[in-house]
Amino acid sequence: MLIGIVIGNVWATRKEEVLNGLKFMVVQRVDMADGSTHESFVAVDCVGAGIGERVLVVTGSSARKALDNPQTPVDAAIVGILDEPKSE
C-alpha cells in the first residue's frame, strides 16, 4: 500500500469499455517519514476522494480486486481517505 495526495484528475473520452463509469485521479506518492513527495501516477478512485486529500492506494492485483473485477485493466486504486497521521 502507498500513501499519496490527490493532485488532479484525468478525463478520458476513449477507453476500454470496462473502465466506463470509473473516476481517474492523479496521485503523488508521499513519504510520511520525511514528508517528501515522489512520482505521480493515475489511480482509479473507489472511495470518492477529492483533490488535496491524502489517500491510501493499492497496486497490482490488489487494485483489480478492489474493483470486484479481476479482469479490469488497472494497476492502482484509491481504497481509503486518510484523516490524520497517527503519532506515537
Side-chain angles (χ1 to χ4, degrees):
M1 284 193 239
L2 305 170
I3 293 175
I5 296 175
V6 177
I7 59 172
N9 57 22
V10 175
W11 182 264
T13 55
R14 296 184 70 175
K15 57 188 169 225
E16 188 72 34
E17 193 165 320
V18 294
L19 298 174
N20 286 333
L22 298 176
K23 186 169 121 183
F24 300 104
M25 306 302 279
V26 180
V27 178
Q28 187 168 41
R29 189 171 64 87
V30 176
D31 185 335
M32 295 302 288
D34 63 11
S36 62
T37 56
H38 299 275
E39 76 281 354
S40 58
F41 56 91
V42 176
V44 172
D45 183 14
C46 298
V47 295
I51 294 174
E53 291 188 296
R54 282 181 301 177
V55 293
L56 186 62
V57 179
V58 293
T59 59
S61 63
S62 296
R64 291 185 289 281
K65 289 180 182 180
L67 295 171
D68 291 328
N69 183 354
Q71 302 306 315
T72 306
V74 300
D75 192 45
I78 298 171
V79 296
I81 299 172
L82 301 177
D83 295 324
E84 293 291 327
K86 184 176 180 180
S87 57
E88 306 209 17

